[in-house]
Amino acid sequence: MSDARPVRCQKCGKPLGYVTVLAKGLTSFQQPIQNVKIVAICMECFQKK
């Protein structure tokens, strides 16, 4: 039930890799998390501030 999505820098669009978000609740089942926003910035854009 995991979904790996390609992630790009929010500023320059450079591909950074893949992110998988998993939620593990009280039960042993893994479920995808709803309403999660991932903000990705590469090191070059981060250092330019």
Side-chain angles (χ1 to χ4, degrees):
M1 293 208 109
S2 65
D3 187 18
R5 298 177 182 224
V7 177
R8 293 185 174 269
C9 176
Q10 300 277 320
K11 294 186 178 184
C12 68
K14 183 176 173 182
L16 298 176
Y18 289 85
V19 171
T20 301
V21 179
L22 293 175
K24 202 165 197 181
L26 297 174
T27 61
S28 61
F29 299 109
Q30 291 182 343
Q31 303 170 352
I33 300 176
Q34 300 287 327
N35 301 321
V36 172
K37 181 178 181 181
I38 296 170
V39 177
I41 300 174
C42 71
M43 290 304 289
E44 292 172 15
C45 290
F46 183 75
Q47 290 173 354
K48 284 181 189 174
K49 278 190 179 181

Tab-separated table of all heavy atoms in Angstrom:
chain	number	residue	atom	x	y	z
A	1	MET	N	0.816	-1.192	0.000
A	1	MET	CA	0.000	0.000	0.000
A	1	MET	C	0.861	1.258	0.000
A	1	MET	O	0.410	2.305	0.373
A	1	MET	CB	-0.899	-0.005	1.220
A	1	MET	CG	-1.929	-1.092	1.197
A	1	MET	SD	-3.332	-0.579	2.106
A	1	MET	CE	-4.560	-0.311	0.962
A	2	SER	N	2.109	1.152	-0.370
A	2	SER	CA	2.956	2.340	-0.439
A	2	SER	C	2.971	2.844	-1.876
A	2	SER	O	2.856	2.078	-2.814
A	2	SER	CB	4.359	2.024	0.045
A	2	SER	OG	4.957	1.114	-0.834
A	3	ASP	N	3.115	4.144	-2.014
A	3	ASP	CA	3.126	4.747	-3.333
A	3	ASP	C	4.327	5.666	-3.426
A	3	ASP	O	4.337	6.724	-2.820
A	3	ASP	CB	1.818	5.526	-3.529
A	3	ASP	CG	1.673	6.037	-4.949
A	3	ASP	OD1	2.381	5.513	-5.833
A	3	ASP	OD2	0.864	6.948	-5.177
A	4	ALA	N	5.373	5.241	-4.132
A	4	ALA	CA	6.575	6.063	-4.277
A	4	ALA	C	6.325	7.074	-5.383
A	4	ALA	O	5.964	6.709	-6.493
A	4	ALA	CB	7.774	5.190	-4.594
A	5	ARG	N	6.505	8.351	-5.057
A	5	ARG	CA	6.268	9.402	-6.037
A	5	ARG	C	7.553	10.174	-6.294
A	5	ARG	O	8.285	10.464	-5.366
A	5	ARG	CB	5.196	10.365	-5.515
A	5	ARG	CG	3.886	9.674	-5.315
A	5	ARG	CD	2.873	10.598	-4.735
A	5	ARG	NE	1.643	9.862	-4.529
A	5	ARG	CZ	0.456	10.316	-4.829
A	5	ARG	NH1	0.321	11.520	-5.292
A	5	ARG	NH2	-0.612	9.589	-4.623
A	6	PRO	N	7.803	10.529	-7.561
A	6	PRO	CA	8.993	11.331	-7.847
A	6	PRO	C	8.836	12.731	-7.258
A	6	PRO	O	7.761	13.320	-7.325
A	6	PRO	CB	9.049	11.378	-9.375
A	6	PRO	CG	7.677	11.030	-9.836
A	6	PRO	CD	7.049	10.202	-8.758
A	7	VAL	N	9.912	13.246	-6.659
A	7	VAL	CA	9.884	14.559	-6.027
A	7	VAL	C	10.868	15.466	-6.741
A	7	VAL	O	11.990	15.070	-7.038
A	7	VAL	CB	10.265	14.438	-4.525
A	7	VAL	CG1	10.319	15.803	-3.877
A	7	VAL	CG2	9.276	13.551	-3.805
A	8	ARG	N	10.436	16.693	-7.023
A	8	ARG	CA	11.290	17.697	-7.667
A	8	ARG	C	11.413	18.910	-6.759
A	8	ARG	O	10.555	19.168	-5.932
A	8	ARG	CB	10.690	18.127	-9.007
A	8	ARG	CG	10.693	17.012	-10.022
A	8	ARG	CD	10.196	17.522	-11.365
A	8	ARG	NE	10.331	16.508	-12.386
A	8	ARG	CZ	11.397	16.363	-13.160
A	8	ARG	NH1	12.418	17.160	-13.034
A	8	ARG	NH2	11.444	15.411	-14.056
A	9	CYS	N	12.491	19.662	-6.941
A	9	CYS	CA	12.715	20.890	-6.183
A	9	CYS	C	11.586	21.876	-6.492
A	9	CYS	O	11.208	22.057	-7.648
A	9	CYS	CB	14.067	21.494	-6.543
A	9	CYS	SG	14.379	23.087	-5.746
A	10	GLN	N	11.054	22.521	-5.465
A	10	GLN	CA	9.951	23.472	-5.639
A	10	GLN	C	10.404	24.725	-6.387
A	10	GLN	O	9.596	25.401	-6.988
A	10	GLN	CB	9.423	23.900	-4.258
A	10	GLN	CG	8.906	22.754	-3.435
A	10	GLN	CD	7.483	22.391	-3.795
A	10	GLN	OE1	6.666	23.248	-4.038
A	10	GLN	NE2	7.197	21.101	-3.813
A	11	LYS	N	11.697	25.048	-6.333
A	11	LYS	CA	12.177	26.288	-6.944
A	11	LYS	C	12.723	26.096	-8.351
A	11	LYS	O	12.367	26.827	-9.256
A	11	LYS	CB	13.230	26.940	-6.046
A	11	LYS	CG	12.644	27.397	-4.733
A	11	LYS	CD	13.643	28.173	-3.917
A	11	LYS	CE	12.984	28.645	-2.629
A	11	LYS	NZ	13.877	29.478	-1.853
A	12	CYS	N	13.616	25.121	-8.548
A	12	CYS	CA	14.255	24.976	-9.861
A	12	CYS	C	13.727	23.783	-10.661
A	12	CYS	O	14.004	23.662	-11.843
A	12	CYS	CB	15.773	24.878	-9.708
A	12	CYS	SG	16.343	23.362	-8.921
A	13	GLY	N	12.991	22.865	-10.032
A	13	GLY	CA	12.423	21.726	-10.741
A	13	GLY	C	13.372	20.553	-10.920
A	13	GLY	O	13.059	19.581	-11.589
A	14	LYS	N	14.544	20.620	-10.305
A	14	LYS	CA	15.540	19.549	-10.400
A	14	LYS	C	15.013	18.287	-9.699
A	14	LYS	O	14.507	18.368	-8.591
A	14	LYS	CB	16.799	20.050	-9.709
A	14	LYS	CG	17.980	19.153	-9.743
A	14	LYS	CD	19.101	19.926	-9.077
A	14	LYS	CE	20.334	19.160	-8.865
A	14	LYS	NZ	21.339	19.945	-8.183
A	15	PRO	N	15.078	17.113	-10.340
A	15	PRO	CA	14.597	15.883	-9.695
A	15	PRO	C	15.449	15.515	-8.482
A	15	PRO	O	16.674	15.549	-8.546
A	15	PRO	CB	14.708	14.821	-10.791
A	15	PRO	CG	15.616	15.386	-11.813
A	15	PRO	CD	15.583	16.885	-11.682
A	16	LEU	N	14.801	15.201	-7.379
A	16	LEU	CA	15.521	14.903	-6.139
A	16	LEU	C	15.483	13.429	-5.771
A	16	LEU	O	16.383	12.930	-5.134
A	16	LEU	CB	14.930	15.718	-4.989
A	16	LEU	CG	15.031	17.236	-5.134
A	16	LEU	CD1	14.330	17.923	-3.989
A	16	LEU	CD2	16.485	17.671	-5.191
A	17	GLY	N	14.438	12.726	-6.124
A	17	GLY	CA	14.340	11.315	-5.764
A	17	GLY	C	12.890	10.920	-5.564
A	17	GLY	O	11.988	11.536	-6.118
A	18	TYR	N	12.678	9.905	-4.749
A	18	TYR	CA	11.337	9.392	-4.515
A	18	TYR	C	11.028	9.411	-3.028
A	18	TYR	O	11.905	9.173	-2.210
A	18	TYR	CB	11.210	7.959	-5.040
A	18	TYR	CG	11.219	7.903	-6.544
A	18	TYR	CD1	12.410	7.870	-7.249
A	18	TYR	CD2	10.029	7.900	-7.252
A	18	TYR	CE1	12.422	7.829	-8.636
A	18	TYR	CE2	10.024	7.858	-8.638
A	18	TYR	CZ	11.216	7.826	-9.318
A	18	TYR	OH	11.219	7.796	-10.680
A	19	VAL	N	9.771	9.699	-2.700
A	19	VAL	CA	9.335	9.730	-1.308
A	19	VAL	C	8.165	8.777	-1.153
A	19	VAL	O	7.241	8.779	-1.962
A	19	VAL	CB	8.902	11.160	-0.895
A	19	VAL	CG1	8.251	11.155	0.469
A	19	VAL	CG2	10.096	12.098	-0.903
A	20	THR	N	8.212	7.965	-0.113
A	20	THR	CA	7.106	7.083	0.228
A	20	THR	C	6.628	7.453	1.625
A	20	THR	O	7.424	7.520	2.557
A	20	THR	CB	7.541	5.608	0.214
A	20	THR	OG1	8.026	5.298	-1.077
A	20	THR	CG2	6.387	4.691	0.550
A	21	VAL	N	5.340	7.720	1.759
A	21	VAL	CA	4.769	8.077	3.052
A	21	VAL	C	3.829	6.959	3.474
A	21	VAL	O	2.923	6.590	2.739
A	21	VAL	CB	3.985	9.413	2.960
A	21	VAL	CG1	3.380	9.759	4.308
A	21	VAL	CG2	4.898	10.520	2.484
A	22	LEU	N	4.068	6.416	4.668
A	22	LEU	CA	3.228	5.340	5.187
A	22	LEU	C	2.696	5.722	6.560
A	22	LEU	O	3.379	6.389	7.332
A	22	LEU	CB	4.020	4.042	5.335
A	22	LEU	CG	4.495	3.377	4.057
A	22	LEU	CD1	5.366	2.187	4.406
A	22	LEU	CD2	3.335	2.943	3.210
A	23	ALA	N	1.497	5.279	6.844
A	23	ALA	CA	0.929	5.480	8.176
A	23	ALA	C	0.717	4.113	8.798
A	23	ALA	O	0.236	3.195	8.150
A	23	ALA	CB	-0.402	6.206	8.070
A	24	LYS	N	1.086	4.000	10.045
A	24	LYS	CA	0.865	2.740	10.743
A	24	LYS	C	0.053	3.068	11.987
A	24	LYS	O	0.530	3.777	12.872
A	24	LYS	CB	2.197	2.103	11.106
A	24	LYS	CG	2.080	0.628	11.329
A	24	LYS	CD	3.433	-0.030	11.320
A	24	LYS	CE	3.263	-1.512	11.119
A	24	LYS	NZ	4.514	-2.211	11.116
A	25	GLY	N	-1.170	2.615	12.009
A	25	GLY	CA	-2.067	2.929	13.116
A	25	GLY	C	-2.013	1.876	14.198
A	25	GLY	O	-1.049	1.137	14.348
A	26	LEU	N	-3.091	1.810	14.952
A	26	LEU	CA	-3.178	0.846	16.048
A	26	LEU	C	-3.257	-0.578	15.522
A	26	LEU	O	-2.834	-1.510	16.188
A	26	LEU	CB	-4.408	1.153	16.914
A	26	LEU	CG	-4.367	2.521	17.602
A	26	LEU	CD1	-5.690	2.777	18.315
A	26	LEU	CD2	-3.227	2.590	18.596
A	27	THR	N	-3.782	-0.729	14.307
A	27	THR	CA	-3.830	-2.063	13.712
A	27	THR	C	-2.517	-2.310	12.967
A	27	THR	O	-1.718	-1.406	12.802
A	27	THR	CB	-5.017	-2.180	12.734
A	27	THR	OG1	-4.829	-1.227	11.692
A	27	THR	CG2	-6.328	-1.908	13.443
A	28	SER	N	-2.329	-3.498	12.495
A	28	SER	CA	-1.073	-3.814	11.807
A	28	SER	C	-1.135	-3.478	10.325
A	28	SER	O	-0.200	-3.746	9.602
A	28	SER	CB	-0.756	-5.295	11.992
A	28	SER	OG	-1.788	-6.073	11.425
A	29	PHE	N	-2.242	-2.896	9.864
A	29	PHE	CA	-2.375	-2.573	8.447
A	29	PHE	C	-1.727	-1.224	8.145
A	29	PHE	O	-1.872	-0.278	8.904
A	29	PHE	CB	-3.853	-2.519	8.043
A	29	PHE	CG	-4.556	-3.828	8.252
A	29	PHE	CD1	-5.484	-3.969	9.259
A	29	PHE	CD2	-4.269	-4.925	7.443
A	29	PHE	CE1	-6.127	-5.184	9.457
A	29	PHE	CE2	-4.910	-6.133	7.636
A	29	PHE	CZ	-5.837	-6.262	8.647
A	30	GLN	N	-1.024	-1.141	7.033
A	30	GLN	CA	-0.432	0.131	6.599
A	30	GLN	C	-1.402	0.791	5.634
A	30	GLN	O	-1.898	0.149	4.721
A	30	GLN	CB	0.910	-0.112	5.910
A	30	GLN	CG	1.970	-0.586	6.862
A	30	GLN	CD	3.309	-0.770	6.162
A	30	GLN	OE1	3.367	-0.852	4.950
A	30	GLN	NE2	4.363	-0.844	6.921
A	31	GLN	N	-1.655	2.075	5.851
A	31	GLN	CA	-2.592	2.796	5.006
A	31	GLN	C	-1.931	4.066	4.479
A	31	GLN	O	-1.131	4.669	5.181
A	31	GLN	CB	-3.823	3.199	5.818
A	31	GLN	CG	-4.514	2.019	6.451
A	31	GLN	CD	-5.570	2.459	7.448
A	31	GLN	OE1	-5.674	3.632	7.764
A	31	GLN	NE2	-6.332	1.513	7.931
A	32	PRO	N	-2.302	4.481	3.263
A	32	PRO	CA	-1.771	5.755	2.770
A	32	PRO	C	-2.331	6.913	3.590
A	32	PRO	O	-3.479	6.879	4.008
A	32	PRO	CB	-2.244	5.821	1.326
A	32	PRO	CG	-3.317	4.804	1.203
A	32	PRO	CD	-3.121	3.794	2.293
A	33	ILE	N	-1.514	7.928	3.842
A	33	ILE	CA	-1.941	9.078	4.631
A	33	ILE	C	-2.641	10.076	3.712
A	33	ILE	O	-2.175	10.344	2.615
A	33	ILE	CB	-0.728	9.763	5.294
A	33	ILE	CG1	-0.018	8.782	6.219
A	33	ILE	CG2	-1.138	10.987	6.074
A	33	ILE	CD1	1.235	9.337	6.835
A	34	GLN	N	-3.726	10.629	4.177
A	34	GLN	CA	-4.458	11.643	3.429
A	34	GLN	C	-3.962	13.034	3.823
A	34	GLN	O	-3.512	13.241	4.939
A	34	GLN	CB	-5.960	11.537	3.751
A	34	GLN	CG	-6.564	10.184	3.399
A	34	GLN	CD	-6.713	9.996	1.901
A	34	GLN	OE1	-6.958	10.952	1.181
A	34	GLN	NE2	-6.554	8.782	1.434
A	35	ASN	N	-4.075	13.991	2.926
A	35	ASN	CA	-3.786	15.407	3.193
A	35	ASN	C	-2.373	15.661	3.713
A	35	ASN	O	-2.195	16.333	4.720
A	35	ASN	CB	-4.803	15.976	4.191
A	35	ASN	CG	-6.216	15.850	3.666
A	35	ASN	OD1	-6.465	16.033	2.488
A	35	ASN	ND2	-7.143	15.523	4.537
A	36	VAL	N	-1.373	15.122	3.032
A	36	VAL	CA	0.027	15.369	3.396
A	36	VAL	C	0.676	16.150	2.259
A	36	VAL	O	0.548	15.784	1.095
A	36	VAL	CB	0.783	14.049	3.620
A	36	VAL	CG1	2.269	14.298	3.807
A	36	VAL	CG2	0.216	13.330	4.824
A	37	LYS	N	1.352	17.244	2.597
A	37	LYS	CA	2.063	18.036	1.588
A	37	LYS	C	3.555	17.920	1.853
A	37	LYS	O	4.003	18.130	2.970
A	37	LYS	CB	1.631	19.499	1.662
A	37	LYS	CG	2.310	20.352	0.617
A	37	LYS	CD	1.820	21.777	0.676
A	37	LYS	CE	2.502	22.602	-0.399
A	37	LYS	NZ	2.090	23.989	-0.366
A	38	ILE	N	4.307	17.569	0.816
A	38	ILE	CA	5.753	17.443	0.938
A	38	ILE	C	6.389	18.621	0.208
A	38	ILE	O	6.124	18.837	-0.969
A	38	ILE	CB	6.242	16.111	0.346
A	38	ILE	CG1	5.664	14.955	1.150
A	38	ILE	CG2	7.758	16.043	0.330
A	38	ILE	CD1	5.883	13.608	0.535
A	39	VAL	N	7.197	19.393	0.920
A	39	VAL	CA	7.895	20.528	0.325
A	39	VAL	C	9.351	20.129	0.151
A	39	VAL	O	10.031	19.829	1.128
A	39	VAL	CB	7.780	21.786	1.221
A	39	VAL	CG1	8.564	22.930	0.630
A	39	VAL	CG2	6.321	22.167	1.410
A	40	ALA	N	9.812	20.120	-1.083
A	40	ALA	CA	11.178	19.685	-1.375
A	40	ALA	C	11.963	20.829	-2.006
A	40	ALA	O	11.495	21.459	-2.951
A	40	ALA	CB	11.148	18.487	-2.319
A	41	ILE	N	13.144	21.097	-1.463
A	41	ILE	CA	14.038	22.114	-2.011
A	41	ILE	C	15.436	21.502	-2.074
A	41	ILE	O	15.908	20.950	-1.089
A	41	ILE	CB	14.050	23.389	-1.131
A	41	ILE	CG1	12.646	23.979	-1.063
A	41	ILE	CG2	15.034	24.409	-1.671
A	41	ILE	CD1	12.511	25.138	-0.111
A	42	CYS	N	16.080	21.613	-3.228
A	42	CYS	CA	17.426	21.050	-3.362
A	42	CYS	C	18.425	21.888	-2.570
A	42	CYS	O	18.146	23.027	-2.198
A	42	CYS	CB	17.820	20.956	-4.843
A	42	CYS	SG	18.136	22.535	-5.634
A	43	MET	N	19.598	21.333	-2.323
A	43	MET	CA	20.608	22.010	-1.503
A	43	MET	C	21.101	23.305	-2.154
A	43	MET	O	21.384	24.270	-1.466
A	43	MET	CB	21.790	21.085	-1.237
A	43	MET	CG	21.454	19.925	-0.302
A	43	MET	SD	20.789	20.467	1.288
A	43	MET	CE	22.232	21.177	2.031
A	44	GLU	N	21.167	23.330	-3.474
A	44	GLU	CA	21.630	24.546	-4.160
A	44	GLU	C	20.660	25.702	-3.935
A	44	GLU	O	21.077	26.813	-3.598
A	44	GLU	CB	21.783	24.274	-5.653
A	44	GLU	CG	22.924	23.316	-5.965
A	44	GLU	CD	22.948	22.908	-7.425
A	44	GLU	OE1	22.287	23.556	-8.260
A	44	GLU	OE2	23.637	21.924	-7.723
A	45	CYS	N	19.371	25.468	-4.107
A	45	CYS	CA	18.368	26.517	-3.879
A	45	CYS	C	18.286	26.881	-2.392
A	45	CYS	O	18.072	28.037	-2.037
A	45	CYS	CB	16.999	26.071	-4.373
A	45	CYS	SG	16.879	25.972	-6.170
A	46	PHE	N	18.462	25.907	-1.527
A	46	PHE	CA	18.399	26.146	-0.083
A	46	PHE	C	19.523	27.073	0.368
A	46	PHE	O	19.331	27.956	1.194
A	46	PHE	CB	18.469	24.823	0.672
A	46	PHE	CG	18.338	24.967	2.156
A	46	PHE	CD1	17.116	25.231	2.729
A	46	PHE	CD2	19.450	24.835	2.974
A	46	PHE	CE1	16.992	25.365	4.099
A	46	PHE	CE2	19.339	24.973	4.350
A	46	PHE	CZ	18.101	25.238	4.923
A	47	GLN	N	20.720	26.901	-0.208
A	47	GLN	CA	21.867	27.705	0.183
A	47	GLN	C	21.840	29.105	-0.444
A	47	GLN	O	22.470	30.014	0.050
A	47	GLN	CB	23.166	26.985	-0.202
A	47	GLN	CG	23.393	25.756	0.647
A	47	GLN	CD	24.577	24.932	0.193
A	47	GLN	OE1	25.179	25.214	-0.836
A	47	GLN	NE2	24.907	23.898	0.938
A	48	LYS	N	21.052	29.295	-1.525
A	48	LYS	CA	20.977	30.587	-2.194
A	48	LYS	C	20.171	31.610	-1.403
A	48	LYS	O	20.406	32.795	-1.538
A	48	LYS	CB	20.333	30.440	-3.577
A	48	LYS	CG	21.260	29.838	-4.594
A	48	LYS	CD	20.545	29.743	-5.939
A	48	LYS	CE	21.351	28.963	-6.938
A	48	LYS	NZ	20.636	28.752	-8.176
A	49	LYS	N	19.217	31.167	-0.612
A	49	LYS	CA	18.319	32.029	0.161
A	49	LYS	C	18.606	33.476	-0.040
A	49	LYS	O	18.916	34.339	0.552
A	49	LYS	CB	18.352	31.683	1.639
A	49	LYS	CG	17.464	30.525	1.958
A	49	LYS	CD	17.338	30.387	3.425
A	49	LYS	CE	16.435	29.240	3.792
A	49	LYS	NZ	16.268	29.100	5.189
